Amino acid sequence: MATTDAATPAAAPESRPAQGTRIVGPELRSRWTTPRFGAITPERLASILKSADDGRTEDWANFCEYLVEDADLFGIYHTRRNAVAGAPWDLEPGYSPDPIAQRYAARAAEFCRRAMLEMADLERTWLDALDAIGVGWSAAELIWKRDHGAWVVSDAEWVRAARLRFDETWKLRLYDMGEHGSEGLELPPGKFLVHVPRSRASYPVRSGEFRTIAWYWLFHRWVIKYWLATGERHGGPFLYMRVPASTRGDVKREGKAILERMRNDGVAVVDEGTFIEMLESAMTGADVFDTLCARFERGYAKALLGATLTVDVGDSGSRALGTEHGKVRLERSQGDARFLAGSWRRDVLYWLCFHNRHLFDGVMPPVPTLKLQPEGDTATVSDKLIDIGGATYDEARERDGLPAWGPGKGGDKRIPAVSGSASALPALPTPGAPSGVPEGGEKVADAALNGAQIDALKGIVADVASGLIPRETGIELIVVAFPTIPREKALEILGPVEEGSVTPDGEPVQQAPAGGAAPPPFGASGSTPRGSGTPSLASRARASRALSSRTTSAPRSPTTPTSSRSQMSPLARALLGGSDGPKS
């Protein structure tokens, strides 16, 4: 996303754009005075780079146009630019801290989207702007028009980079070989799309990526030139004529002329007794030229695409490595898309919103953001996925360019996992079986209790069953101690448990026959009506007094409880506020 200062110009003029007018006129003089670089030398290239550093950028921009006429470089550079210019795009509504302006964010984004779709050739406009990747800068003049009460951009006219120069503050100005004065003509805001990506931390005249391959291009050109000359000299057989030593000079000259005609026309007429022989040429050093050319072409790919296997599979033909290099190229494309989106938001989207404030009740709406989405290579089945049994036979065959077998030959079956592989895929869930994820979306492994937690939960249940803590207290303890267990589940856990149904020693309390009374718990005297099966408050008090009398009369031992609190489970004692508890 573009920065705030780039997205919002400091001063917004109140005037409306002039309909259909142009500032940049036809290019006349420089069209016929563009220098040629066919016989460029290292000294000439060094001079061009030095002039660009000094601010005289015309020769550098013209040289970049000539540079891309190299077939290998053109293919790589065009791939880089097309990945962004032809990418799917959308507009994201902007944001404003002003709630009144924020109400128009979605409407402004939709208006700008329609205006962009009505432009003459949006993809070509972006492709021209992306020429700044190599040169370092680009500009296009915006042609405004009035359409049904709205100001829209009908077209964007490309401006040659050689017609522009930077001023002392590194802002582009229209220079046209001095026709607009020594300083050039300022580019009015809202009238030009200016793209200066700055792919590295340097001045704009040095940030173009062609700076990194200029010398590679020169040496690549020389190697091809010498290779062709060597092929012409040594590619064909060597013809010669043997004549006696006493042969006159005019005869020798005639013989040489015959050989030259044979070399050009392939036929000749000679006198009887003249012998023409052929010496086969053994051309050597061709592998040197091939190696040098390949080296410089790989330099092109590394500089512009970030890797080499995105355009050439190499000697090993590694598809996996090529896929990884494709990811590197995608990262380059995503970076180019972000730079272009920032320039587009600053120079086009902002002014679309500004000049059409009357469509938003006079309010300047939030400027939307352009989202370009370069697409990477289609994902393929990896060797690791095959090794662990995660791919079918048809998927593996399609990856290697082979026809699929189909279900009839078992192509839909999985390839068995290689023994000793680092991991294996889990089995697919059976239809209708539990998915292993509870309603809240939490995994079973995260929601399940471990062994210590299960023991603690069983301790609380035992405390309730023995009457050491009331049932409601046990429910609250479960909810507090186990946040993953809701209160409803705690009620279900303690549903069949009755208070006082077992003694603190774990012995079940004997039930009284129908119509009778149950024996008092913990060996206390008296009887307690069972009724619903839950001891009354009086029976629990008697049980507590009996427990207290037992603990005071019996000698203390590790297995003899000293109080009802000490008889509780460790988790219950800790949650209720300590291990000693109140004295009863």
Side-chain angles (χ1 to χ4, degrees):
M1 180 181 294
T3 58
T4 303
D5 57 350
T8 305
E14 293 296 333
S15 61
R16 290 289 184 260
Q19 184 172 356
T21 60
R22 292 194 59 182
I23 295 177
V24 181
E27 187 178 16
L28 299 176
R29 187 175 67 173
S30 61
R31 179 183 301 178
W32 313 113
T33 58
T34 300
R36 299 292 181 258
F37 303 95
I40 188 171
T41 62
E43 293 78 13
R44 173 65 173 144
L45 178 56
S47 175
I48 292 173
L49 299 178
K50 180 64 169 59
S51 297
D53 293 342
D54 294 339
R56 300 184 301 273
T57 57
E58 292 85 0
D59 283 350
W60 166 250
N62 288 322
F63 173 70
C64 290
E65 290 185 13
Y66 188 79
L67 201 72
V68 293
E69 294 181 7
D70 182 291
D72 297 290
L73 180 57
F74 174 79
I76 296 172
Y77 189 49
H78 203 58
T79 298
R80 170 84 175 267
R81 296 163 63 209
N82 268 350
V84 178
W89 63 273
D90 197 4
L91 288 182
E92 183 180 280
Y95 169 77
S96 173
D98 184 2
I100 297 178
Q102 186 61 30
R103 290 186 304 178
Y104 299 97
R107 284 176 53 187
E110 181 60 27
F111 168 77
C112 292
R113 181 184 295 106
R114 291 186 178 183
M116 290 172 59
L117 292 175
E118 293 296 327
M119 288 185 64
D121 194 343
L122 183 61
E123 184 174 336
R124 188 262 305 161
T125 299
W126 285 345
L127 195 65
D128 292 341
L130 288 167
D131 196 44
I133 295 173
V135 182
W137 65 90
S138 67
E141 185 175 3
L142 304 179
I143 309 301
W144 292 87
K145 72 173 183 178
R146 191 78 166 176
D147 186 8
H148 295 84
W151 287 103
V152 295
V153 178
S154 62
D155 199 1
E157 293 291 340
W158 170 70
V159 180
R160 286 186 67 241
R163 304 180 67 179
L164 305 168
R165 273 192 182 186
F166 287 94
D167 61 14
E168 295 180 353
T169 60
W170 296 109
K171 292 182 179 180
L172 276 180
R173 303 176 76 93
L174 183 64
Y175 186 69
D176 268 345
M177 300 182 67
E179 291 185 4
H180 302 284
S182 59
E183 297 295 330
L185 182 65
E186 181 182 2
L187 304 182
K191 184 57 177 171
F192 287 86
L193 167 63
V194 177
H195 187 44
V196 185
R198 297 280 297 274
S199 58
R200 60 174 178 162
S202 183
Y203 296 121
V205 294
R206 297 182 62 90
S207 62
E209 297 192 13
F210 283 165
R211 293 280 300 218
T212 63
I213 62 173
W215 290 104
Y216 269 46
W217 173 87
L218 178 62
F219 299 144
H220 181 263
R221 181 182 178 87
W222 277 14
V223 168
I224 294 180
K225 179 180 179 180
Y226 295 149
W227 198 354
L228 291 175
T230 303
E232 182 181 7
R233 176 67 180 83
H234 302 285
F238 181 74
L239 300 177
Y240 66 98
M241 179 184 296
R242 289 191 301 174
V243 297
S246 60
T247 304
R248 299 192 312 270
D250 58 338
V251 176
K252 293 180 180 180
R253 287 190 295 271
E254 178 64 21
K256 183 178 179 182
I258 292 174
L259 293 178
E260 290 176 351
R261 289 195 298 270
M262 287 187 63
R263 191 172 187 88
N264 296 329
D265 302 332
V267 295
V269 177
V270 297
D271 296 332
E272 184 178 358
T274 303
F275 298 95
I276 298 177
E277 299 186 13
M278 181 183 301
L279 180 64
E280 292 293 337
S281 174
M283 182 177 177
T284 59
D287 55 340
V288 175
F289 295 113
D290 193 10
T291 301
L292 288 174
C293 275
R295 175 67 181 87
F296 297 137
E297 290 163 8
R298 288 197 300 269
Y300 295 164
K302 287 182 180 179
L304 294 176
L305 300 180
T308 59
L309 293 185
T310 56
V311 293
D312 189 0
V313 298
D315 297 333
S316 61
S318 174
R319 183 185 182 91
L321 189 57
T323 301
E324 291 300 318
H325 285 201
K327 296 178 182 178
V328 176
R329 189 185 71 184
L330 178 60
E331 293 174 358
R332 289 286 181 96
S333 300
Q334 291 171 342
D336 295 336
R338 288 191 295 268
F339 286 132
L340 180 61
S343 300
W344 189 262
R345 184 173 188 261
R346 178 197 62 216
D347 294 337
V348 179
L349 296 179
Y350 174 86
W351 296 103
L352 279 173
C353 295
F354 180 81
H355 290 316
N356 293 282
R357 289 170 295 172
H358 58 283
L359 301 179
F360 309 106
D361 301 327
V363 177
M364 177 63 184
V367 182
T369 301
L370 175 64
K371 294 293 184 181
L372 285 160
Q373 302 169 351
E375 298 177 348
D377 296 333
T378 305
T380 57
V381 178
S382 64
D383 292 335
K384 182 178 180 181
L385 190 62
I386 295 176
D387 291 342
I388 63 176
T392 63
Y393 287 98
D394 280 350
E395 290 173 340
R397 291 178 62 85
E398 290 175 1
R399 184 198 73 166
D400 296 332
L402 300 175
W405 282 345
K409 295 184 179 180
D412 58 340
K413 298 184 181 299
R414 283 189 181 182
I415 301 174
V418 178
S419 59
S421 58
S423 59
L425 290 179
L428 293 176
T430 304
S435 62
V437 180
E439 293 181 0
E442 194 174 11
K443 294 181 179 180
V444 173
D446 298 332
L449 303 178
N450 56 36
Q453 291 173 323
I454 293 176
D455 291 340
L457 182 60
K458 290 167 61 178
I460 295 177
V461 174
D463 292 343
V464 174
S466 61
L468 295 177
I469 57 175
R471 179 185 178 84
E472 285 300 323
T473 302
I475 293 173
E476 295 299 330
L477 289 177
I478 294 175
V479 174
V480 173
F482 306 99
T484 58
I485 300 179
R487 185 176 183 83
E488 293 76 10
K489 181 63 67 176
L491 289 171
E492 294 179 7
I493 294 174
L494 292 177
V497 179
E498 298 180 357
E499 295 181 23
S501 59
V502 297
T503 66
D505 297 329
E507 298 294 334
V509 176
Q510 295 182 0
Q511 300 292 331
F522 308 132
S525 59
S527 61
T528 302
R530 298 295 294 177
S532 61
T534 302
S536 63
L537 293 176
S539 65
R540 287 201 294 270
R542 288 195 297 270
S544 178
R545 288 194 297 272
L547 179 60
S548 300
S549 62
R550 178 188 298 180
T551 55
T552 55
S553 60
R556 290 195 174 187
S557 65
T559 58
T560 303
T562 59
S563 66
S564 60
R565 179 63 64 91
S566 63
Q567 185 71 12
M568 298 178 186
S569 64
L571 178 62
R573 293 200 307 271
L575 293 173
L576 289 176
S579 59
D580 295 332
K583 304 295 182 181
S584 58

